[in-house]
Amino acid sequence: DGGITQSPKYLFRKEGQNVTLSCEQNLNHDAMYWYRQDPGQGLRLIYYSQIVNDFQKGDIAEGYSVSREKKESFPLTVTSAQKNPTAFYLCASSIRTGRNGVGNQPQHFGDGTRLSIL
Amino acid sequence: AQSVTQLGSHVSVSEGALVLLRCNYSSSVPPYLFWYVQYPNQGLQLLLKYTSAATLVKGINGFEAEFKKSETSFHLTKPSAHMSDAAEYFCAVSGLNAGGTSYGKLTFGQGTILTVHP
């Protein structure tokens, strides 16, 4: 079955450490997204990518970095500069959006990674 | 810029009662609207989407939503609640920018936690 796989499910970060969250999809989607979810705040967009080797900052990109070297993979690194990294992180993908109303394509989500501070 | 407001962070109903989850949006151009459901420690699943084809949209699990432009609303309803409907529900909007393109950036509401009592 096609879908999005996020790993690990739970992750712990030590002070001053960078950690990387994995996101892989086999839906053949061009667009991929990373969201952060905190209780009572909905989902906030960290980074998104519409095509391989290209990505844009979302609303809360500070302290995070991404790469998009392959269509099916969009890893997120939470750097030591992110002072409050404890959250639930969700990866999503969709058909590439753009002109002619393609923005109506829904996003498909993985099951998330819960990051905590040691 | 677009925004979404979900009225009521918590809604409680009895099994068999009507479910009504409220969502109001703001967008300078005709929006695309989505409802997602999230079960504990999982990602989001698409319930339904509005893409201008019909104002009454039917989704999965017996849910439906009506787009009312005059009220800028997209409320989610289900005639008879089931225990398995207990989850968190998110309304989201994807707006077209002034150039007529949309990059699939979703703006999410804060979420509404639905509790169903026996």
Side-chain angles (χ1 to χ4, degrees), chain B residues 48-115:
Chain B
L48 49 81
K49 67 178 183 179
Y50 167 74
T51 58
S52 78
T55 56
L56 183 61
V57 181
K58 294 188 183 299
I60 62 172
N61 301 338
F63 284 93
E64 62 182 35
E66 185 172 10
F67 173 71
K68 291 187 176 180
K69 184 178 178 180
S70 61
E71 298 177 8
T72 61
S73 69
F74 190 56
H75 301 331
L76 182 70
T77 60
K78 181 174 180 177
S80 177
H82 192 272
M83 296 295 289
S84 61
D85 295 327
E88 188 163 15
Y89 293 79
F90 292 93
C91 182
V93 61
S94 173
L96 295 173
N97 62 19
T101 63
S102 172
Y103 299 99
K105 289 175 62 177
L106 291 181
T107 299
F108 286 86
Q110 308 292 68
T112 298
I113 296 173
L114 176 66
T115 303

Side-chain angles (χ1 to χ4, degrees), chain B residues 1-45:
Chain B
Q2 62 254 19
S3 66
V4 175
T5 301
Q6 291 184 239
L7 299 175
S9 58
H10 291 80
V11 170
S12 181
V13 300
S14 298
E15 192 172 19
L18 171 71
V19 175
L20 171 60
L21 304 182
R22 299 178 187 274
C23 173
N24 287 89
Y25 70 91
S26 69
S27 177
S28 57
V29 293
Y32 298 121
L33 294 156
F34 305 82
W35 274 101
Y36 286 87
V37 61
Q38 184 181 34
Y39 298 99
N41 294 312
Q42 293 186 22
L44 277 66
Q45 300 173 29

Side-chain angles (χ1 to χ4, degrees), chain A residues 21-55:
Chain A
L21 285 61
S22 171
C23 178
E24 303 277 333
Q25 55 98 0
N26 60 5
L27 298 167
N28 200 33
H29 286 164
D30 285 305
M32 297 187 74
Y33 314 82
W34 273 107
Y35 293 93
R36 171 179 171 139
Q37 185 177 18
D38 296 281
Q41 295 193 44
L43 277 70
R44 293 181 290 170
L45 183 65
I46 304 172
Y47 269 97
Y48 65 103
S49 168
Q50 292 282 336
I51 198 167
V52 174
N53 293 323
D54 186 52
F55 50 83

